[in-house]
């Protein structure tokens, strides 16, 4: 049958819209339309950004069990010293973070204490935007991960050089580049895999005719370019080598599933340099003790399985995980068995090449800013360290200037 432009709009575009994108487009000889191979990227260092959405209670994540004021401020939420996973004689991890505590003891996890930014904002949306754009003082239309890709990965032809796993925000916001959003490898298709090859080719040709930049007016070239970039990312995903062997059992949670997807992509030699992943459920205004323990368990079990998976594949020295939340919580618990929006909180950096330990100083629990912790470390210092020392990128192009550097990268 002949596929008209109207048929394509009705059938093809509907499929395209479900992608974030999602099957491979091949000629009738079975050869990929795109010239492939991104072997130059597969041995480069990888950064995985994990955001804990909702405002993680940093005080009950990195617990200042050595300070009496902690117990005074949190009569029902405080953890007794015997239950804390001690890192030294002053601070320790939440009892749910058993796997991360083990990584810390192995020297594979760095904890940066008291991280925040000037003029803190208690709005989830604004504060997350600040972390994702690295611009506390102004509104920005570009994300910090996008700016890294634009400045340091601009010569890479790999459509998978940076990937958002699942829902995201502004970290990859860009007016210059497109980045794929992937839920799973099995559903990342442009065309239903069951479609006959002849029909696939017709849809492919119609798609390329519609989104070919050379055929568009200036006003449509941005849209056309984005469509074609999405097309290339689908092709690249379907061309990955199927080398992933499931040697580690992951928990049955969405977060663990997303991390396993990252592992599959790396095993398939995707050449991806940056991944962005998130897990929600941290807005604990009420009944925090049970809920916080539950979601931290998901974080701990997911990251522990992921690190074991990296070790099984020999990838642990190529990958660094950086974990943050948009803000912490207030020092005092509220009247509903929870905590309200606060400011400074710890960040975590995990990897085979990480110099583990505590960095920065724990904020004072008594010298507060209207009930909030005063931050000790600007979050852009952590970003700067990772861009410069790990990714070997241009810090100034991403952040506008250089910041204090830490020694948590070997």
């Amino acid at each position: 049958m002949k596929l008209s432009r109207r048929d394509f709009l009705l059938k093809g575009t509907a499929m395209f819209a479900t992608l974030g994108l999602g099957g491979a487009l091949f000629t009738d000889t079975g050869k990929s339309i795109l010239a492939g191979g991104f072997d130059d990227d597969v041995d480069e260092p990888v950064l995985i950004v994990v955001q804990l959405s909702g405002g993680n209670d940093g005080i009950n994540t990195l617990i200042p069990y050595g300070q009496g004021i902690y117990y005074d401020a949190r009569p029902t939420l405080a953890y007794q010293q015997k239950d804390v996973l001690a890192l030294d004689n002053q601070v320790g991890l939440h009892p749910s973070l058993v796997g991360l505590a083990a990584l810390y003891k192995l020297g594979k996890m760095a904890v940066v204490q008291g991280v925040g930014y000037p003029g803190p904002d208690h709005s989830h949306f604004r504060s997350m935007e600040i972390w994702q754009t690295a611009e506390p003082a102004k509104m920005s239309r570009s994300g910090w991960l996008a700016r890294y890709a634009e400045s340091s990965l601009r010569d890479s032809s790999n459509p998978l050089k940076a990937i958002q796993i699942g829902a995201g925000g502004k970290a990859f916001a860009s007016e210059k580049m497109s980045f794929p959003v992937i839920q799973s490898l099995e559903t990342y298709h442009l065309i239903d895999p069951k479609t006959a090859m002849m029909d696939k080719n017709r849809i492919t040709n119609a798609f390329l005719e519609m989104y070919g930049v050379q055929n568009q007016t200036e006003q449509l070239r941005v849209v056309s370019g984005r469509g074609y970039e999405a097309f290339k990312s689908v092709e690249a995903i379907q061309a990955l080598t199927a080398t992933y062997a499931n040697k580690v059992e992951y928990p049955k949670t969405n977060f663990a599933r997303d991390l396993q997807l990252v592992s599959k992509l790396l095993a398939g030699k995707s050449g991806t340099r940056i991944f962005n992943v998130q897990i929600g459920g941290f807005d604990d205004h009420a009944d925090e003790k049970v809920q916080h323990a539950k979601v931290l368990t998901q974080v701990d079990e997911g990251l522990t399985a992921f690190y074991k998976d990296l070790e099984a594949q020999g990838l642990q020295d190529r990958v660094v995980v950086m974990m943050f939340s948009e803000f912490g919580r207030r020092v005092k618990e509220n009247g509903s068995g929870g905590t309200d929006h606060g400011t400074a909180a710890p960040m975590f950096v995990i990897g085979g090449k990480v110099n583990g330990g505590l960095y920065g100083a724990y904020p004072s629990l008594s010298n507060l800013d209207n009930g909030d912790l005063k931050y000790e470390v600007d979050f852009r210092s952590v970003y700067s360290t990772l861009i410069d020392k790990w990714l070997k990128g241009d810090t100034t192009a991403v952040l506008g200037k250089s910041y204090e550097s830490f020694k948590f990268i070997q």
Side-chain angles (χ1 to χ4, degrees), residues 244-316:
Y244 180 75
N246 188 8
K247 299 179 181 179
V248 174
E249 183 176 355
Y250 278 79
K252 306 300 182 185
T253 63
N254 290 336
F255 180 61
R257 179 205 64 201
D258 289 345
L259 292 175
Q260 188 173 29
L261 173 55
V262 172
S263 186
K264 289 179 180 179
L265 287 162
L266 292 175
K269 300 187 181 303
S270 66
T272 310
R273 301 292 309 283
I274 322 168
F275 294 91
N276 197 39
V277 183
Q278 72 167 311
I279 174 174
F282 288 92
D283 197 15
D284 295 317
H285 289 284
D287 302 321
E288 178 179 319
K289 204 147 193 179
V290 173
Q291 174 60 23
H292 196 225
K294 180 180 178 180
V295 72
L296 284 183
T297 296
Q298 292 182 33
V299 170
D300 184 78
E301 292 179 348
L303 286 173
T304 301
F306 179 65
Y307 192 83
K308 290 179 180 177
D309 200 355
L310 292 178
E311 288 184 315
Q313 297 184 60
L315 295 172
Q316 73 277 10

Side-chain angles (χ1 to χ4, degrees), residues 90-112:
Q90 290 295 312
V91 300
L93 295 176
H94 187 284
S96 295
L97 300 178
V98 178
L100 295 189
L103 287 175
Y104 182 88
K105 289 181 179 179
L106 291 172
K108 304 303 180 184
M109 184 172 78
V111 183
V112 187

Side-chain angles (χ1 to χ4, degrees), residues 46-61:
V46 176
L47 175 65
I48 301 165
V49 177
V50 174
Q51 60 185 53
L52 310 179
S53 300
N56 178 44
D57 183 1
I59 296 173
N60 265 14
T61 301

